Amino acid sequence: MQITISQHAGFCFGVDRAVKMCAEIDPDTPRPLQMFGNLVHNETVVENLKKQGIEIIKSLDEAKEGTVIITAHGIYPEVYQEVEKKGLHIIDTTCPKVILVHQLAKKLQAEGREIIIIGDENHIEVKGINGAVGWQAKVITSVDEVAELDFPADTKIGVVSQTTQDLEVFAEIEKALQEKFTDVKVFNTICESTRGHQEEAKKLAQNNDVILVIGSKSSGNTTRLYEICHELNKKTYWIDTAADLEDDWFAEVKSVGITAGASTPRELVEEVAEKLKEFC
Ligand code: SF4
């Protein structure tokens, strides 16, 4: 059985950077260390952070003293203001590519455009982008929602995307917006890492008998990888760890492709590849 691991499987640049920043926190940094939300949607990583003394908080009300850590997804301005008001220390691991999306959205708004964010409105990254433009953006996730936008046809529209969006969905929405409005300026802010990941996943799904997608069920980008692979290869299985592998998935299988979400540690990917050898 031939096993091919996606080159992109494992942490993306932004998550890797944030995990390293957390690992290198100076011992003199004010305690407790409190992360506002999950750094990544992966239980193994969250457990490791807890071992480093970092607790996860869901609201700033929980932070009375010490340090607040902002995750790689970025955050909205009110959080920075509140942290400053409370006199807390801050460690900001926001991915530079997410900061760029904030800047582009603000630039479009300064041009007098209505901002549309293609993404999941409940995702912290999208809230951060929306917060950067004063919560004035409309957030849409599907092409059907374009019809529901009630701006006049000559409204100046500015579009950005959540960095982990599906490329095809983005293209469909962009086309529908260009057809509906006369002045649409688009910044495709889907991150290169996401693009490479999705494109490679497609190739793997087309060229292997079985596909394994590794990552947490709460990870948006892992969900999209699964959907992309499953669309092209019905023998696509979504697992959290090597322990989820099932013998009967591999009967008479000659090739297996492995991919993993941007929040999945590379070690988990290698553990799965190692375990797979037992099924050969
Ligand atoms: S997906 Fe891209 S933009 Fe998002 S955290 Fe990773 S590297 Fe940064």
Side-chain angles (χ1 to χ4, degrees):
M1 190 161 70
Q2 187 187 325
I3 300 167
T4 309
I5 303 176
S6 162
Q7 283 178 19
H8 294 271
F11 289 158
C12 65
F13 155 78
V15 170
D16 192 45
R17 175 178 172 274
V19 169
K20 284 184 183 142
M21 283 175 80
C22 289
E24 290 164 6
I25 291 174
D26 193 287
D28 294 336
T29 303
R31 278 6 189 208
L33 301 172
Q34 303 144 110
M35 182 168 282
F36 188 62
N38 279 333
L39 170 60
V40 290
H41 297 112
N42 183 283
E43 287 74 17
T44 310
V45 178
V46 172
E47 278 311 309
N48 284 343
L49 290 172
K50 283 187 188 156
K51 282 182 201 151
Q52 292 170 43
I54 299 172
E55 44 182 283
I56 312 289
I57 53 167
K58 291 201 171 118
S59 155
L60 278 188
D61 295 342
E62 297 171 51
K64 307 274 187 259
E65 54 186 354
T67 299
V68 172
I69 303 169
I70 305 298
T71 67
H73 309 108
I75 198 67
Y76 35 92
E78 290 83 349
V79 170
Y80 292 109
Q81 289 155 12
E82 184 70 11
V83 168
E84 198 180 333
K85 201 165 110 195
K86 288 182 152 196
L88 302 169
H89 187 73
I90 193 163
I91 295 176
D92 190 350
T93 75
T94 304
C95 176
K97 296 179 186 194
V98 173
I99 293 173
L100 181 64
V101 185
H102 291 202
Q103 290 166 346
L104 291 172
K106 285 198 235 178
K107 180 177 180 312
L108 290 168
Q109 192 179 45
E111 290 173 11
R113 295 177 183 277
E114 294 290 345
I115 305 301
I116 293 177
I117 304 169
I118 301 175
D120 170 3
E121 68 177 337
N122 296 316
H123 195 285
I124 194 71
E125 182 190 312
V126 172
K127 288 184 181 173
I129 303 167
N130 202 352
V133 292
W135 303 97
Q136 297 300 308
K138 293 251 185 221
V139 182
I140 60 174
T141 50
S142 72
V143 72
D144 298 339
E145 289 169 73
V146 174
E148 291 162 22
L149 295 170
D150 53 7
F151 304 123
D154 60 352
T155 306
K156 289 165 76 177
I157 301 286
V159 183
V160 294
S161 171
Q162 186 178 349
T163 59
T164 49
Q165 269 300 290
D166 183 299
L167 280 164
E168 283 177 16
V169 172
F170 181 92
E172 272 177 25
I173 294 177
E174 179 183 354
K175 183 165 175 279
L177 287 168
Q178 297 284 10
E179 283 167 5
K180 181 164 173 159
F181 298 102
T182 53
D183 184 355
V184 182
K185 190 163 173 183
V186 179
F187 287 121
N188 184 339
T189 52
I190 297 175
C191 153
E192 286 148 42
S193 157
T194 308
R195 290 166 200 243
H197 224 135
Q198 292 179 2
E199 276 153 18
E200 203 185 8
K202 274 186 203 161
K203 283 188 200 140
L204 280 178
Q206 284 162 336
N207 296 324
N208 288 279
D209 298 333
V210 165
I211 293 294
L212 299 173
V213 180
I214 312 169
S216 166
K217 299 288 186 293
S218 58
S219 156
N221 72 78
T222 310
T223 307
R224 277 184 279 285
L225 280 179
Y226 173 78
E227 287 167 355
I228 288 167
C229 292
H230 192 256
E231 173 94 26
L232 295 165
N233 185 334
K234 296 297 170 221
K235 284 191 172 176
T236 294
Y237 302 102
W238 185 351
I239 58 171
D240 276 312
T241 67
D244 300 329
L245 292 173
E246 291 182 24
D247 211 349
D248 55 354
W249 296 346
F250 306 104
E252 294 176 33
V253 163
K254 292 200 171 63
S255 60
V256 178
I258 303 177
T259 186
S263 49
T264 307
R266 187 77 190 185
E267 302 90 84
L268 280 185
V269 177
E270 270 146 27
E271 271 169 38
V272 168
E274 203 49 44
K275 175 95 179 160
L276 253 187
K277 290 180 188 157
E278 291 173 19
F279 296 94
C280 292

